[in-house]
Amino acid sequence: MLIVGGGIVGLSTAYALTRARPGTKVAVLEKELAPARHQTGRNSGVIHSGIYYRPGSLKARFAVTGAAEMVKFCAEYGIPHEVTGKLIVATGRDELPRLHALVQRGRENGIPVRELGPAQISEYEPRVRGIAAIHVGTTGICDYGAVAAQLAEASETAGADVLYGAEAVAVDRRPWGVAVRTGDGRIVRGRVMVNCAGLHCDRVARLAGDDPGMRIVPFRGEYYDLARPSLVRGLVYPVPDPAFPFLGVHLTRGVDGGVHVGPNAVPALAREGYGWATVRPGDLAETLAWPGSWQIARQHWRYGAGELRRSLSKRAFAEAVRRMLPSVEESDLRPAPAGVRAQAVLRDGTLADDFLIKESPRTVHVLNAPSPAATASLPIGREIATRALAQL
């Protein structure tokens, strides 16, 4: 069994395979020199409750069960974590219908939700201001980089091989299985290939001869650290716009005690473009050549303009935060490392809303697994392992 990609989804798949069928030979190919160098290691570390996701969707099912499993996994292996709960805060009356819809969605997904008025908001977060909010008790935080490292270690202990510096550059699919050639000239063979390549998953699908029917369009999420972390106690989110898979600029207290502010969402000029200075013409050309990219631009240019303004102006970013936390000053925001979201976009410009897993002979492709994939990684890994084993 070959797994391409050593982020948390690929490693959780290896972990699930070694437990579902002990003795199965598993190899993970990771192009970087360590696990979790991209989406897994560059997110805000939130264990999501599942409140945002459509009831019955893979995201809803796997986030709800995955959150509980992630807390248990972290406790078992001594990984820093905490169940903190979080507030989702409405700052304008126009947001109230969306807030109430979230309450209903949370209840349909079996998530404990408490509705709050302004005075009750202050009990949780004295400096946060809003006209209404909901408290979601099952949200937490952890160190996903440490989780990925533990999944790799546990998989290796069970007999899997995790190969670093092994970028998949060619895939040869035969009746007996799949052979993958890596950038350093190695040939690795397996009866089934699982594609968990994240930012490059569509490319790996095409290497295997499959049309994924989508492209990864990378969106950079930029963060700041809060210079005065005492301004907030826990996690504070705005009411999201349901038309987008992004949650808006929020405040997240991490396991280290610091507070992350962000992210925004701006188009990245490279699939691993963690700043405006990183431009890869090949990546950019692929994005511009995909019809769905232009459809997004036409449909959502106003939203994009606001995100771009917050990217280029620290003052504008601070203004967005002050809607919920009025005492924040521009000087409180200190630049922090950015992340890039691997967002699947269909040809018609639809942003893939759910996890997207496609199968073809001898291959399983994971084509859309952004947030809450880290939260949901353990049940996602089992689902992918089940599909892969069924092909043996």
Side-chain angles (χ1 to χ4, degrees):
M1 193 77 68
L2 293 179
I3 300 170
V4 178
I8 199 168
V9 173
L11 292 169
S12 67
T13 302
Y15 179 79
L17 285 167
T18 59
R19 277 147 183 77
R21 191 174 294 184
T24 301
K25 188 169 179 58
V26 178
V28 180
L29 308 181
E30 167 53 46
K31 73 183 182 69
E32 305 295 351
L33 300 179
R37 287 293 178 90
H38 296 290
Q39 291 184 102
T40 302
R42 289 175 169 267
N43 60 43
S44 56
V46 175
I47 302 174
H48 288 285
S49 65
I51 191 171
Y52 300 111
Y53 314 119
R54 177 174 49 82
S57 65
L58 292 179
K59 279 188 175 182
R61 287 165 43 205
F62 290 163
V64 172
T65 58
E69 289 185 39
M70 186 57 65
V71 170
K72 183 178 178 181
F73 184 90
C74 290
E76 179 180 352
Y77 288 103
I79 296 170
H81 70 288
E82 185 180 353
V83 179
T84 57
K86 79 172 179 183
L87 294 184
I88 303 175
V89 179
T91 56
R93 298 195 65 82
D94 59 316
E95 295 175 334
L96 292 178
R98 283 184 276 148
L99 189 71
H100 295 149
L102 278 180
V103 172
Q104 181 62 29
R105 178 161 285 190
R107 289 172 178 162
E108 289 177 5
N109 287 337
I111 299 163
V113 177
R114 182 186 175 204
E115 297 182 73
L116 308 177
Q120 293 164 308
I121 292 172
S122 296
E123 291 175 13
Y124 284 99
E125 293 285 355
R127 294 181 177 86
V128 169
R129 296 291 176 265
I131 61 172
I134 56 178
H135 181 261
V136 187
T138 52
T139 302
I141 52 174
C142 73
D143 181 345
Y144 283 121
V147 171
Q150 183 59 59
L151 288 168
E153 181 181 332
S155 299
E156 289 179 305
T157 300
D161 294 318
V162 182
L163 309 176
Y164 297 109
E167 180 178 4
V169 297
V171 177
D172 185 14
R173 187 162 55 190
R174 299 292 179 90
W176 53 262
V178 180
V180 175
R181 177 164 56 85
T182 65
D184 57 3
R186 283 180 281 186
I187 304 293
V188 188
R189 297 178 176 85
R191 291 174 63 191
V192 177
M193 182 191 80
V194 177
N195 168 14
C196 297
L199 286 159
H200 304 279
C201 63
D202 55 333
R203 291 172 171 171
V204 172
R206 295 199 302 275
L207 286 177
D210 294 323
D211 178 7
M214 44 65 74
R215 288 293 182 274
I216 290 297
V217 174
F219 287 88
R220 184 171 62 255
E222 296 161 330
Y223 291 93
Y224 288 92
D225 286 329
L226 197 60
R228 292 186 289 162
S230 60
L231 291 177
V232 290
R233 292 175 174 175
L235 281 62
V236 183
Y237 282 62
V239 180
D241 185 335
F244 301 96
F246 314 112
L247 298 180
V249 172
H250 47 270
L251 299 112
T252 307
R253 181 172 290 278
V255 291
D256 61 356
V259 174
H260 254 29
V261 186
N264 58 2
V266 295
L269 304 181
R271 296 210 183 190
E272 296 166 14
Y274 297 112
W276 286 112
T278 303
V279 181
R280 292 185 180 163
D283 291 358
L284 186 56
E286 275 192 309
T287 295
L288 296 177
W290 184 241
S293 301
W294 295 99
Q295 290 291 343
I296 294 172
R298 278 192 287 269
Q299 294 169 19
H300 304 304
W301 66 269
R302 284 189 177 86
Y303 181 92
E307 294 294 287
L308 186 61
R309 177 172 173 263
R310 284 184 284 276
S311 173
L312 299 175
S313 168
K314 190 177 181 182
R315 176 178 296 177
F317 201 105
E319 287 172 0
V321 180
R322 272 198 290 270
R323 292 185 62 193
M324 299 183 298
L325 191 65
S327 53
V328 162
E329 302 292 341
E330 190 176 337
S331 58
D332 288 321
L333 303 180
R334 296 175 177 173
V340 174
R341 177 190 181 104
Q343 176 63 51
V345 177
L346 307 187
R347 182 174 289 274
D348 65 0
T350 300
L351 299 169
D353 183 51
D354 204 359
F355 298 139
L356 181 60
I357 304 171
K358 289 189 176 181
E359 298 177 60
S360 57
R362 298 293 181 181
T363 57
V364 179
H365 300 293
V366 183
L367 299 173
N368 194 57
S371 179
T375 298
S377 55
L378 294 171
I380 289 176
R382 287 196 303 274
E383 173 70 17
I384 298 166
T386 298
R387 296 190 188 202
L389 289 170
Q391 294 210 28
L392 287 180

